[in-house]
C-alpha cells in the first residue's frame, strides 16, 4: 500500500534505510537482473504497473517466449510469439525511421532470449532510438545471461541504472559499474535488492502489484 505514482515518478517499493517509498523516473534505460526465483518477473510487473498508473505513456511488452504478464490490462502492445514480435518490431522501427516516437514505456522480458533472434538487430535500433527519445526502456534477464545479450544489453547497461534483486557482491560492478558493498549470499529474500542510480546503490524491497491493478 504505497503512495500513488505520477507522470514524473513511479513508486516501486520500500527503502531499507527509512521505510519510505522508493521511486524511479520513468524514462531512459533500466536494467532488471537477478538469479532464478529472485523476483525479476514480479519486479518487472510492479514497475510496469506503477508506470501505467502514472499515465501518459504507451505501454509495450516484448518477450521471446509466452509471458504471464500479458494478463495485465495496461499494455497497448503485447508481443510474445515470433509472428507478433516481428510485426511489433517492424512497426516500432517504422516510427524510428519517420522520427515519430510517441511517449513510450517498453518492457523487454528475458532479454537474452533475443540473442540470435531474427528481430535482434532491428530491436537494437529501436532500443537505442527510444532511449535517445527519453522513453523508458526496461530490459530484464537472469544475472548469468547478461553477457550473452551484449547487442541489446549494452545500450541498456550504459545507463548505469537498474534494479538488482538478490545480487552477489560483484553484480553491481559487473552489470552497472556500481559497487553494492558486502552482501552475504542467501540473506536476501525474493524481491529484496538494490536500486542503482547515478553511481549509488540503495537497498529496497520491491512491491507486489495488485491483481488487475494499473
Amino acid at each position: 500500500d504505497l503512495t500513488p505514482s505520477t507522470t514524473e515518478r513511479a513508486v516501486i517499493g520500500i527503502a531499507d534505510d527509512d521505510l519510505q517509498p522508493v521511486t524511479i523516473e520513468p524514462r531512459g534505460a533500466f536494467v532488471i537482473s537477478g538469479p532464478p526465483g529472485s523476483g525479476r518477473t514480479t519486479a518487472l510487473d510492479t514497475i510496469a504497473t506503477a508506470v501505467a498508473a502514472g499515465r501518459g505513456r504507451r505501454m509495450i511488452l516484448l518477450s521471446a517466449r509466452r509471458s504471464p504478464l500479458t494478463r495485465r490490462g495496461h499494455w497497448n502492445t503485447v508481443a510474445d510469439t515470433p509472428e507478433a514480435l516481428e510485426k511489433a518490431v517492424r512497426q516500432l522501427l517504422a516510427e524510428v525511421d519517420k522520427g515519430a516516437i510517441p511517449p513510450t514505456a517498453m518492457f523487454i522480458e528475458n532479454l537474452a532470449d533475443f540473442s540470435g533472434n531474427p528481430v535482434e538487430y532491428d530491436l537494437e535500433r529501436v532500443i537505442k532510438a527510444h532511449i535517445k527519445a527519453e522513453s523508458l526502456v526496461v530490459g530484464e534477464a537472469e544475472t548469468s545471461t547478461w553477457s550473452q545479450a551484449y547487442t541489446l544489453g549494452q545500450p541498456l547497461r550504459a545507463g548505469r541504472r537498474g534494479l538488482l534483486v538478490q545480487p552477489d557482491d560483484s553484480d553491481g560492478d559487473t552489470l552497472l559499474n556500481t559497487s553494492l558493498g558486502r552482501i552475504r549470499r542467501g540473506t536476501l529474500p525474493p524481491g529484496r535488492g538494490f536500486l542503482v542510480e547515478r553511481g549509488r546503490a540503495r537497498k529496497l524491497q520491491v512491491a507486489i502489484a495488485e491483481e488487475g491493478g494499473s
Side-chain angles (χ1 to χ4, degrees):
D1 184 14
L2 298 174
T3 56
S5 297
T6 67
T7 302
E8 296 302 319
R9 305 296 299 185
V11 182
I12 66 168
I14 292 291
D16 179 75
D17 51 2
D18 60 8
L19 302 182
Q20 294 301 303
V22 174
T23 67
I24 63 168
E25 188 177 20
R27 56 179 51 86
F30 194 90
V31 164
I32 297 176
S33 179
S38 61
R40 297 190 321 273
T41 299
T42 297
L44 190 152
D45 186 27
T46 294
I47 293 173
T49 300
V51 172
R55 307 195 182 281
R57 290 171 181 80
R58 175 181 59 171
M59 301 289 295
I60 297 174
L61 175 65
L62 304 178
S63 179
R65 65 178 84 167
R66 291 287 187 178
S67 173
L69 301 181
T70 59
R71 60 186 170 78
R72 292 297 196 183
H74 47 236
W75 303 114
N76 300 108
T77 298
V78 172
D80 65 347
T81 66
E83 297 79 12
L85 276 173
E86 183 179 355
K87 179 181 178 181
V89 172
R90 185 170 62 247
Q91 291 174 341
L92 291 167
L93 191 58
E95 292 178 353
V96 170
D97 289 339
K98 292 178 182 177
I101 301 175
T104 299
M106 183 185 307
F107 295 80
I108 307 170
E109 195 176 11
N110 301 304
L111 190 75
D113 287 352
F114 287 87
S115 296
N117 189 291
V119 304
E120 180 180 9
Y121 293 102
D122 285 343
L123 182 56
E124 178 190 14
R125 285 187 59 199
V126 169
I127 289 172
K128 289 180 176 179
H130 276 75
I131 292 173
K132 185 176 180 179
E134 295 195 334
S135 295
L136 174 66
V137 184
V138 178
E140 175 270 321
E142 184 181 332
T143 304
S144 63
T145 66
W146 275 94
S147 60
Q148 303 167 25
Y150 179 81
T151 299
L152 301 182
Q154 193 279 331
L156 291 168
R157 291 169 57 183
R160 296 180 62 194
R161 186 173 74 125
L163 179 63
L164 309 180
V165 286
Q166 289 189 334
D168 284 341
D169 288 2
S170 62
D171 290 347
D173 292 303
T174 301
L175 293 173
L176 299 176
N177 197 29
T178 301
S179 176
L180 303 180
R182 293 284 297 171
I183 303 171
R184 287 192 297 166
R185 181 185 293 271
T187 59
L188 301 180
R192 191 73 54 83
F194 292 84
L195 175 65
V196 176
E197 292 184 302
R198 301 181 183 89
R200 300 181 64 182
R202 189 180 192 189
K203 193 174 181 182
L204 82 162
Q205 177 68 42
V206 179
I208 298 176
E210 292 183 358
E211 285 294 326
S214 61

